[in-house]
Amino acid sequence: MKETLRYLAGVAGPSGFGSNSTAEKVTEDCSSLVPSQLTAIITGATSGIGAETARVLAKRGIRVVIAARDLKKGGEVKERIQKESPRAEIVLLEINLSSFASIKRFCSQFLSLGLPLNILINNAGKYSKNLEFSEDKIEMTFATNYLGHYLLTEMLLEKLVETAAQTGTEGRIINVSSVIHSWVRRDEFRFSDMLNPKNYNGTRAYAQSKLANILHAKEMAKKLNAKNARVTINAVHPGIVKTGIIRDHKGFITDSIFFLASKLLKTTSQGASTTCYVALSQQINGVNGKYFTDCNESYCSSLANDQSEARRLWKQTHAFIHRILCQSTI
């Protein structure tokens, strides 16, 4: 009850920000503190929270790479950003996060540009009411929200580490998760079932993918620390925002519930605030493997905090993806 009241009132936490803080507000001091010529890749930046994240980071002088499935929508976002911030440098590249082949092409294209990479924001998200499969024959939500971002991060990690070493500026990876990760029971979280569900439920699949995003951050943080890499990875819950994911199907959270819970909903700019804060704030230098809500470090579920579960998921994911990639080259 106390946390709910703090949320409704927008009471600031230790960071100085709270649920009412906007992405512009939490980054307004960053222009003078953040080194120049940083480069950020943002997935799912053609609408909603991703587009707002791209707009605000570009406004703060960050070179933004929009990783877009729909190049037409990506071009429209680029045009709007440059109209507001004429000096903004925006790069638009195509990616389909449900396709390993597309992710490989994207990484090859980005790396060929010779740009540094300081920030990777794994923001794209998909919710499928009905069971669908990717071209790699994986359930679509899990393929897009988790496996695609896992592979993207793995393929760009060397560039992130290299950039941080060369510039002395900490690299950051942000996994956009959701509070509904806590809806997942341990007995529902089985890798093989998430690849090919026998009894599909769209909300459960979405929650499972968001739990996997946090576990990914937890295990990768351990590996980065072990390498003494100057790169961190954290997960964020943006808050409940009526974005395209929810509009895609009324079965997820209905309009009537939205009406009743209207006081809990965030604007798009408030929804993008935690991602932007974790991407740019100097207050969290060195913070690794944590979960943030409302621009403050927060608690995730006991299952999301289970290091053995994180390690198991990592090993299963790594083995599965590389088996698929090896088969595709035969």
Side-chain angles (χ1 to χ4, degrees):
M1 177 61 73
K2 185 178 178 181
E3 289 302 314
T4 301
L5 292 174
R6 287 175 62 87
Y7 176 89
L8 291 171
V11 176
S15 69
F17 304 111
S19 61
N20 289 345
S21 300
T22 64
E24 288 204 25
K25 179 66 176 177
V26 304
T27 60
E28 63 184 358
D29 295 328
C30 291
S31 297
S32 59
L33 297 174
V34 173
S36 61
Q37 285 300 91
L38 296 186
T39 299
I41 292 176
I42 308 172
T43 67
T46 57
S47 64
I49 294 168
E52 177 67 2
T53 300
R55 183 188 73 83
V56 172
L57 263 56
K59 188 172 184 176
R60 302 308 179 210
I62 312 297
R63 179 193 291 115
V64 172
V65 179
I66 295 176
R69 183 168 55 90
D70 187 327
L71 290 179
K72 183 176 182 292
K73 287 184 179 179
E76 291 168 354
V77 171
K78 177 179 178 178
E79 186 177 336
R80 288 199 299 271
I81 291 173
Q82 292 183 321
K83 185 175 181 179
E84 178 185 357
S85 304
R87 299 179 65 182
E89 186 175 348
I90 310 294
V91 178
L92 177 60
L93 295 175
E94 185 176 14
I95 191 170
N96 176 356
L97 281 158
S98 71
S99 164
F100 294 162
S102 177
I103 294 166
K104 288 175 65 179
R105 282 194 300 273
F106 169 87
C107 291
S108 178
Q109 289 171 351
F110 172 75
L111 295 172
S112 72
L113 298 175
L115 296 174
L117 181 57
N118 307 91
I119 302 165
L120 172 61
I121 300 177
N122 292 321
N123 167 80
K126 180 175 179 62
Y127 173 97
S128 293
K129 182 178 181 180
N130 299 313
L131 179 60
E132 300 176 62
F133 288 93
S134 71
E135 66 180 46
D136 298 305
K137 299 180 175 58
I138 304 162
E139 189 279 311
M140 189 66 79
T141 303
F142 195 60
T144 304
N145 298 358
Y146 171 61
L147 292 175
H149 283 127
Y150 178 102
L151 178 59
L152 180 68
T153 303
E154 181 176 274
M155 297 192 74
L156 294 175
L157 186 59
E158 184 178 344
K159 174 57 70 174
L160 281 157
V161 173
E162 174 189 288
T163 300
Q166 290 175 347
T167 63
T169 300
E170 181 178 275
R172 294 189 178 176
I173 305 166
I174 297 95
N175 283 357
V176 178
S177 181
S178 170
V179 70
I180 75 163
H181 78 271
S182 62
W183 296 2
V184 181
R185 301 196 313 264
R186 189 177 295 273
D187 63 357
E188 294 176 332
F189 197 71
R190 290 186 290 268
F191 190 73
S192 59
D193 289 346
M194 291 184 285
L195 293 174
N196 185 8
K198 294 177 178 61
N199 297 297
Y200 182 75
N201 176 283
T203 302
R204 182 173 60 220
Y206 186 78
Q208 289 168 333
S209 72
K210 292 304 172 180
L211 171 59
N213 290 148
I214 300 175
L215 292 169
H216 175 220
K218 296 283 185 182
E219 184 64 14
M220 174 159 272
K222 282 182 61 180
K223 293 181 181 300
L224 290 168
N225 286 336
K227 293 180 179 179
N228 292 318
R230 196 167 183 176
V231 175
T232 63
I233 179 169
N234 292 287
V236 304
H237 165 53
I240 303 173
V241 183
K242 194 170 186 182
T243 61
I245 287 179
I246 293 170
R247 285 195 305 270
D248 281 345
H249 40 90
K250 295 179 180 178
F252 182 58
I253 298 178
T254 66
D255 287 343
S256 60
I257 292 177
F258 266 112
F259 176 77
L260 293 171
S262 60
K263 294 297 183 182
L264 297 175
L265 297 182
K266 287 188 174 187
T267 66
T268 302
S269 189
Q270 289 169 339
S273 64
T274 304
T275 299
C276 290
Y277 173 80
V278 176
L280 296 183
S281 176
Q282 301 303 295
Q283 295 184 55
I284 62 167
N285 282 341
V287 175
N288 206 2
K290 303 301 182 181
Y291 175 71
F292 287 79
T293 63
D294 299 331
C295 303
N296 288 276
E297 192 176 325
S298 186
Y299 298 101
C300 51
S301 71
S302 59
L303 183 54
N305 266 321
D306 188 328
Q307 283 295 166
S308 64
E309 194 68 52
R311 186 164 54 251
R312 182 184 304 111
L313 178 64
W314 178 284
K315 291 171 72 172
Q316 291 173 318
T317 305
H318 185 271
F320 175 77
I321 287 180
H322 285 273
R323 184 166 68 249
I324 297 293
L325 292 177
C326 287
Q327 289 173 354
S328 68
T329 59
I330 296 175

